[in-house]
Amino acid sequence: DAGVIQSPRHEVTEMGQEVTLRCKPISGHDYLFWYRQTMMRGLELLIYFNNNVPIDDSGMPEDRFSAKMPNASFSTLKIQPSEPRDSAVYFCASSFQGARNQPQHFGDGTRLSIL
Amino acid sequence: AQSVTQPDIHITVSEGASLELRCNYSYGATPYLFWYVQSPGQGLQLLLKYFSGDTLVQGIKGFEAEFKRSQSSFNLRKPSVHWSDAAEYFCAVGAETGANNLFFGTGTRLTVIP
C-alpha cells in the first residue's frame, strides 16, 4: 500500500523563482495537511483540506504561498516569488476522518533551499 | 488555547536503559494527545494516541505513555531503549475547537549510545 508521495524530494532554486511542491495522499483519505519544518520554528501547519476544500489556511505565512487540491489524489503548494527564508522541509500528510481521530500519515518531505 | 511543551530539546541514553520523554499540554477540556516519531530524512510516524479511558496507552515499538490530568502531562516511556530508537519525538494535541488539526511540540531529539 503506497504511502503519501511527495515530489520533488529536494529543490534548490534562486530567490524570486516560483516553486511548486506536489503531494499525492493515500487513496481514500479525506484530509490533507501541509506542514513546514524549520529548526527555529519547529513543525508548523500551513493549511489543511477536507474533501479537496481548504478548511484552515491561517498558517500560510504570506500571500506568496498558495495551495490547491484539484482532486482527491493531488495537491500542490506553490511559493511565488520564493525567498531565502522559505528554506525548510515541507511535509504533506493525509488522514481519514481528520487528525484528531485517526493518525496522520506523512510523506518523506521536500527539502527546499532558496539561494 | 491549546499548546504543547516538550522541555527537553535533546536527550542521550545508553542502549538498554530506560527512557522517559516529557510532554506538557495546555487544553481546556479532555485532550486528544499523540506521540509521533521522526527518523532522519523521513516524515513523522504515529507511535500512540490517547482519547479517553485508560490513562496508560500502549503504542508501537514497545513505547507507552501515561496521561496525567493533574499534571497536564503525557510522558512517553520505554523500559529498554534500542539503538534504532534514535530519532526525533514529537508530542501533539488536537485542536480545542474540534477542528481536525494538531498542534505539535518542538520535539525532543533522542541519541542512543552503545
Side-chain angles (χ1 to χ4, degrees), chain A residues 64-80:
Chain A
R64 298 184 296 107
F65 286 70
S66 62
K68 294 182 180 179
M69 193 166 185
N71 57 63
S73 59
F74 184 66
S75 177
T76 60
L77 178 67
K78 188 172 294 186
I79 309 173
Q80 167 63 21

Side-chain angles (χ1 to χ4, degrees), chain A residues 9 31 33 37 100 103-104 107, chain B residues 36 38 41 46 51 95 99-100:
Chain A
R9 287 297 311 274
Y31 281 82
F33 306 81
Q37 185 178 40
R100 278 159 53 93
Q104 292 186 23
Chain B
Y36 280 79
Q38 183 181 29
L46 180 69
F51 291 164
N100 277 296

Side-chain angles (χ1 to χ4, degrees), chain B residues 54-110:
Chain B
D54 193 347
T55 56
L56 184 65
V57 294
Q58 303 297 321
I60 62 172
K61 305 183 180 184
F63 285 92
E64 66 178 26
E66 187 171 11
F67 170 63
K68 292 185 177 180
R69 184 187 300 276
S70 61
Q71 299 178 18
S72 297
S73 69
F74 188 58
N75 294 349
L76 182 71
R77 301 194 294 249
K78 187 169 185 178
S80 178
V81 170
H82 188 263
W83 64 266
S84 61
D85 294 325
E88 185 106 19
Y89 291 80
F90 293 88
C91 184
V93 64
E96 274 187 3
T97 59
N100 277 296
N101 59 297
L102 302 181
F103 292 86
F104 286 87
T106 51
T108 296
R109 183 157 59 95
L110 175 65

Side-chain angles (χ1 to χ4, degrees), chain B residues 29-53:
Chain B
T30 300
Y32 289 66
L33 293 164
F34 306 80
W35 276 99
Y36 280 79
V37 61
Q38 183 181 29
S39 298
Q42 296 185 13
L44 281 67
Q45 180 187 21
L46 180 69
L47 283 176
L48 48 79
K49 61 186 178 184
Y50 171 79
F51 291 164
S52 63

